[in-house]
Structure formats: structure tokens, C-alpha cells
Amino acid sequence: MISTALPIPTAAGALPVLGHAIPLMRDNLRFIASLRDYGPLVKIYLQPGQPTIVVNRPDLIRKMLVDLAPNLDKGRFFEKMGQVLGGDSVVTAAGAAHVRARRQLQPAFRHTEIARYVDLMREEVTRTVESWRPGQVVDVREVMVKLSLDMLVATVFSSSLDERAFHQLRRDLSIVMNGVGTRIMLPDWVEKLPLPANRRFNASRAAVRAIIGDAVDELRASGHDTGDMLSMLLRARDEETGAPMTRHQVCSEILTLAVAGTETTASVLSWILYELARNPEVEERLHGELDTVLEGRPLTFDDVGNLPFLRNVITETLRLHHTGWLVTRRTLAATRLGDWEIPAGTELAYCQHALHRDPALFPDPLRFHPDRWLDEKQVAALPEGAWIPFGAGKHKCIGDHFALTELTTAIATITRSWRLEPSTGREVRPVARATVRPSTLLMTASVRSEAGRTPA
């Protein structure tokens, strides 16, 4: 008979008060990846005296996200994100609040709405690359952050922001995005210290919420329907009370979308461009697909589903360079997870970045190999829970189709005209902040016709 008190090991390196803060600050990705050596479950300490149980086995991760979802809330990561950003959203809310928020936001991510966003996304990408010059050294991640924010503003705000507000929003959002990951992972008392970084973060967060709030007030007062996501949020109604979303709710939803969506999209775009440059045969096949399908015309929504190789490039990037590195849940009651009894109030976590690089699941896991997704038998043989780029269960990312459309539009538009070569002498490493992103990524731009394409 299986014991109901099967022990869970504790990872080495914990210190009184600090817990595992030192190995996390020293190299958080290496530390989290090392946890699989302890077995299916392992304890780490992010807060004094409060263990977080990291789940490493894919079947247990799926059970946690899907089967046990009614007995869990979102846990410290999302709870803290809501506190840090100043309000709950569909990303951070749990229980009935999450269900209501998800139903209110779902219309903004319908197939028909995403189809309307593609032209707006493509125009922003085109505007970005038209500013490049042959031989220009591009700080890719910084440019992708700007581009991701531009695409977000175009789809969410349409013409609701003037140029001054847009530039301030972009500047302050950058500070907020950089500070969120640090605040979530460090002990709560750190953010209360009178440090310059804390003051900058608090001021920027207030500025972002004020800009969004002003846009909400102006659009609501005008009564206009601008056809953007903001208009849809203002039309949304609580299905139980019929009440519209408050100014605070709309601000929280958009701020969280901006932080989570912009940062994630920028990181994935950067990694794709990096891997294409490192793998010229993959880049050449992608060029061939784009030339054949698009035939020299701009990408439209109908093209998004007709670029299978690009889809595999994106899929393989989400595997090798997944941006999520510690996602949490919390037990609401005593819960059985596999062979273990987990007490109520226990923090659980899993790491997509480490999971998708597990050699037991993906052969040659550090190789960028889009064709691994062509082997249907191999893909079908993956254990449930081994491949979860957008999570699973009732808290699966609401914007998964939006994100894939955004990535497809951006990469197709950039790479049909430009090639980017990495600067020599610089190591590009994954760095885990709010997301797993590349360290400084400088690349030299060249017009694609100069790199071997026959001009149309």
C-alpha cells in the first residue's frame, strides 16, 4: 500500500531567512533545471518557512493543471503579480473571479476579432523594418519590445492615444516589465525598502495606469466604437450582474496584457530571429515557403494557417526557448498528487523552460530542430503534460491564438525582406526575469535580396 506521507526532498542550498534566494539570483534557470534530479517533486524556499513544491514529472504537471484545478488557486506568482500591478486581471484572478473575467474578455480573442488585428499588426512590423538600413546593428530584443508594444497599442487602443501618451506609455511600461519579475521572486519586504528602483517602479506603474485610465474615460465619454480591443472591453458586461467593467478593471486587464503579452512576444520573436541566423538551412526553407505562399504580396489572416514550416519554427522556439520559468498554483484543500499527499495552503510550481528541455522527453533537447514536429508518431508519443506552451486546463492562456497570429505576422513580414546576422564575439544567454529572454542580442541587418534572393 502506498504511504500517504511519501517524503518530498528539499533542494540543496537553502539558507535561514533567505531560503533559495542565492542560487536563484546566481543562475535561476540552472537551479530550476537541476531540480529534476531530485525526482517528481522537490521543495524549494522562496519565502522564509514556506516551501514551494516544484513538480517535475509531466503527468503530474497535467494532473495539477487540469484534474486538480478545482482544488487549486493560482498561487504566489500570480497573486504577487496582481499585487505588483495594482489589481487583478484574467491572468492573476482565481476561482469565480477568474471565470467572470475570462468570459468578459473572451470576445476580444475570437477568431473574427483576431482576423481584424492582422492588418494592424503587419502595418506596425512594416513601419519598424522600414526604419532599418543595410549594415545597421540592431539591438534585437529592444526593437522587439518596442515592436510588440506597438502591435499591442495598435490592436488595443487603435487611435485612443496621442503620440506623447504613447511614448510615455512605452517608456514606463519598460520599467514596469523589468521590475515585475524581480518583485515576484524576491521576499515581500524587499519592495518596501526606500530604494531608487522601487521608487521608479511605483512611479512608472502609476503613470501607466493613469494613461490607460484616461483613454478609458475619453472613449467612454465619446460613446464611439473604435473597433479595437478597448472598445470591446468597454462593451463587456458581467454575465451575473450585467454591470460593465470598471475603470480600474479595464486598467488592470490592459496593464497585465501589456506586461505579460509584450514581454513574452518580444522574447519569442528575438529567439526566433536568433535561431534563424544560427541555422541558415532553416532560414532558407522559411524563405522558400514565404516566397511560394505570399508571392510577393503582404501577409493576410488567410495566410497564417498556410505556413506550416513557419508554424514549426515557432513551435520549436516555444520548446527550446520557452519564456515561462516558474508558474505557480496553491492548494485550497488537502490534495493528492500522484503518490503524495499535499496539505492545504501549499505552493506548487512547474517550469515550462526546464520541462521542454528534458532529454527524457525531447531527444537532443538543446538542438533547434523544427522538423521534430513533423514526426507525428513521436509527437503523439509525448506524455500528456510534456508539451504545454500555453499552459493547460481552465487557466490556459486566453490569448494563445492571438499570440501565434502575432508571431506569425511579425516573422513573416520581417524575414521576407531582411536577414539578421548575430554580432561576433558576444555570447547570447537565456536570462530569466519576468520571462526567459536573450541577454544582449546585437544583430546586423541586411536586405534579403542582397543575401541571395532573386528580386521579384
Side-chain angles (χ1 to χ4, degrees):
M1 182 175 179
I2 297 172
S3 168
T4 59
L6 205 61
I8 299 174
T10 298
L15 295 174
V17 182
L18 293 178
H20 287 95
I22 290 179
L24 281 167
M25 288 188 290
R26 183 182 296 129
D27 192 338
N28 43 14
L29 290 178
R30 182 185 295 273
F31 174 70
I32 295 295
S34 74
L35 298 179
R36 75 165 70 101
D37 296 338
Y38 292 89
L41 304 181
V42 58
K43 293 179 185 177
I44 64 173
Y45 286 85
L46 304 177
Q47 296 289 313
Q50 299 177 15
T52 294
I53 298 176
V54 178
V55 184
N56 295 313
R57 210 169 73 193
D59 63 312
L60 296 181
I61 293 173
R62 185 189 183 282
K63 185 175 184 64
M64 173 177 68
L65 297 179
V66 179
D67 301 337
L68 300 180
N71 296 326
L72 306 176
D73 69 17
K74 287 192 168 182
R76 174 180 168 75
F77 181 94
F78 295 100
E79 186 178 82
K80 191 69 187 292
M81 178 180 279
Q83 294 172 2
V84 166
L85 295 179
D88 265 336
S89 67
V90 70
V91 174
T92 60
H98 168 78
V99 173
R100 287 196 301 272
R102 192 176 184 95
R103 288 174 178 168
Q104 282 183 305
L105 264 67
Q106 195 68 59
F109 295 98
R110 285 190 303 229
H111 180 91
T112 52
E113 299 306 320
I114 294 174
R116 294 195 305 109
Y117 299 150
V118 168
D119 290 345
L120 296 171
M121 294 173 182
R122 189 193 63 245
E123 289 169 6
E124 295 303 327
V125 181
T126 301
R127 186 175 293 113
T128 294
V129 299
E130 283 180 346
S131 70
W132 295 354
R133 296 293 176 264
Q136 176 181 344
V137 176
V138 178
D139 187 332
V140 172
R141 187 180 176 280
E142 289 303 310
V143 171
M144 292 303 108
V145 168
K146 177 185 178 299
L147 171 59
S148 299
L149 183 56
D150 289 349
M151 288 191 288
L152 178 82
V153 169
T155 54
V156 173
F157 293 103
S158 185
S159 57
S160 299
L161 295 180
D162 60 28
E163 188 173 354
R164 181 199 62 79
F166 169 75
H167 286 298
Q168 183 180 346
L169 179 66
R170 189 169 64 202
R171 181 176 62 251
D172 287 314
L173 263 177
S174 179
I175 294 172
V176 173
M177 287 188 299
N178 286 329
V180 165
T182 301
R183 285 188 165 214
I184 288 172
M185 296 311 304
L186 291 179
D188 295 343
W189 53 265
V190 174
E191 67 188 66
K192 297 179 174 62
L193 298 175
L195 302 173
N198 286 340
R199 289 195 291 270
R200 281 195 303 272
F201 180 91
N202 293 336
S204 293
R205 179 183 57 192
V208 168
R209 294 189 72 94
I211 292 171
I212 297 172
D214 289 346
V216 169
D217 292 342
E218 290 174 12
L219 187 56
R220 186 166 268 159
S222 73
H224 294 156
D225 184 348
T226 54
D228 54 24
M229 199 179 294
L230 181 59
S231 285
M232 296 198 69
L233 293 180
L234 295 186
R235 294 200 306 272
R237 293 294 184 270
D238 186 292
E239 63 178 11
E240 294 181 2
T241 67
M245 296 176 70
T246 66
R247 182 183 195 267
H248 183 80
Q249 285 176 305
V250 175
C251 288
S252 295
E253 294 293 353
I254 294 177
L255 177 55
T256 307
L257 177 65
V259 170
T262 299
E263 174 76 13
T264 301
T265 300
S267 296
V268 176
L269 287 174
S270 300
W271 285 122
I272 293 173
L273 294 171
Y274 172 69
E275 290 295 352
L276 290 176
R278 291 207 311 157
N279 296 273
E281 72 288 350
V282 173
E283 184 182 45
E284 189 60 32
R285 286 175 63 187
L286 177 58
H287 287 163
E289 179 174 82
L290 293 173
D291 292 345
T292 299
V293 174
L294 299 182
E295 299 180 321
R297 59 177 172 74
L299 176 137
T300 67
F301 180 74
D302 290 338
D303 298 314
V304 171
N306 294 321
L307 297 167
F309 187 68
L310 175 52
R311 179 63 176 259
N312 285 346
V313 167
I314 294 171
T315 299
E316 178 67 350
T317 305
L318 289 171
R319 184 199 65 79
L320 180 58
H321 298 292
H322 198 282
T323 60
W325 66 278
L326 201 64
V327 182
T328 61
R329 294 290 187 266
R330 181 186 297 123
T331 57
L332 297 173
T335 302
R336 190 171 185 85
L337 182 58
D339 296 338
W340 291 266
E341 287 289 344
I342 311 296
T346 301
E347 293 285 330
L348 302 172
Y350 70 101
C351 175
Q352 287 149 300
H353 189 272
L355 177 70
H356 292 172
R357 290 179 168 214
D358 188 340
L361 302 173
F362 297 96
D364 199 4
L366 299 186
R367 178 189 176 198
F368 183 77
H369 184 44
D371 282 351
R372 74 171 74 236
W373 301 99
L374 293 176
D375 189 333
E376 294 181 1
K377 289 185 178 179
Q378 183 174 312
V379 173
L382 285 172
E384 288 190 310
W387 171 241
I388 46 173
F390 296 100
K394 68 178 185 179
H395 292 301
K396 183 182 178 182
C397 176
I398 192 174
D400 53 351
H401 296 298
F402 179 93
L404 290 171
T405 301
E406 192 175 31
L407 293 169
T408 301
T409 302
I411 292 298
T413 305
I414 293 170
T415 59
R416 66 181 303 183
S417 303
W418 291 88
R419 298 189 71 246
L420 291 165
E421 294 288 346
S423 299
T424 58
R426 283 183 175 269
E427 179 188 8
V428 179
R429 299 176 296 102
V431 177
R433 296 292 184 266
T435 67
V436 181
R437 64 197 196 196
S439 57
T440 302
L441 179 54
L442 301 179
M443 304 181 79
T444 303
S446 61
V447 178
R448 197 185 135 205
S449 60
E450 297 176 357
R453 183 186 71 163
T454 301

